[in-house]
Amino acid sequence: MAQEAGLDLVEIQPNGDPPVCRIMDFGKFKFETQKKAHAARKKTKQVEIKELKFRPTTDVGDYAIKMRNLRRFLEEGDKVKITIRFRGREMAHQELGDAMVKKIAADITEEAVIEQYPRMEGRLMVMMIAPKKKQ
């Protein structure tokens, strides 16, 4: 029947009892499945990790610009790594870095969730922020 129709006999379920076969154009079927897989891959978004660097002495204007960028990154669906870098004697005043981190966390509670709480890595204080899931 398949040869008369100019199509292929394709075994769909070989382990079934009896095995299930189907008459179809196998080349067209393969092309359509590849096309569906490509469309599914195209729709997925690759999550990037953006990094924002602060200092314990970052002033109000610079802070506002960095927060605007932080919000933009979160809206685009990217994770953000916030780094506070201590230089020289600033290491003796890590409470300034803690205050900066708490201020950042308070400012973005509506848009984001803190994925990794602040921790010290040598002279850096690092915190990871991810966008909130949309319902």
Side-chain angles (χ1 to χ4, degrees):
M1 287 173 49
Q3 286 178 345
E4 289 172 11
L7 299 171
D8 302 314
L9 182 66
V10 181
E11 192 174 28
I12 302 294
Q13 199 172 23
N15 297 334
D17 189 30
V20 179
C21 294
R22 191 173 179 188
I23 297 174
M24 68 168 112
D25 184 0
F26 186 65
K28 184 178 177 182
F29 172 74
K30 216 163 109 174
F31 173 74
E32 288 175 355
T33 55
Q34 282 178 343
K35 201 171 177 182
K36 285 178 188 175
H38 179 71
R41 272 197 313 272
K42 201 173 185 181
K43 289 180 184 176
T44 61
K45 183 183 184 319
Q46 195 73 15
V47 175
E48 292 183 37
I49 297 179
K50 305 284 188 172
E51 184 174 12
L52 284 176
K53 294 181 180 180
F54 290 85
R55 293 272 313 282
T57 58
T58 301
D59 208 14
V60 180
D62 293 332
Y63 178 81
I65 291 170
K66 288 177 187 279
M67 290 306 291
R68 188 169 58 225
N69 288 334
L70 174 66
R71 286 189 176 90
R72 183 175 45 111
F73 294 151
L74 292 171
E75 285 172 8
E76 292 171 0
D78 296 326
K79 292 182 180 184
V80 181
K81 177 181 178 182
I82 294 181
T83 306
I84 298 179
R85 194 171 97 221
F86 296 93
R87 292 173 65 186
R89 292 184 180 165
E90 291 174 351
M91 283 297 287
H93 300 285
Q94 291 182 12
E95 67 275 359
L96 295 175
D98 283 334
M100 176 79 70
V101 165
K102 287 176 183 167
K103 183 177 178 185
I104 293 169
D107 288 348
I108 53 108
T109 52
E110 297 88 38
E111 303 108 34
V113 63
I114 297 174
E115 199 171 75
Q116 184 182 71
Y117 285 91
R119 68 176 202 279
M120 288 297 293
E121 293 178 358
R123 292 188 164 271
L124 303 176
M125 186 178 285
V126 180
M127 176 170 73
M128 286 290 291
I129 297 175
K132 277 191 176 173
K133 301 280 188 235
K134 296 175 185 168
Q135 277 122 1

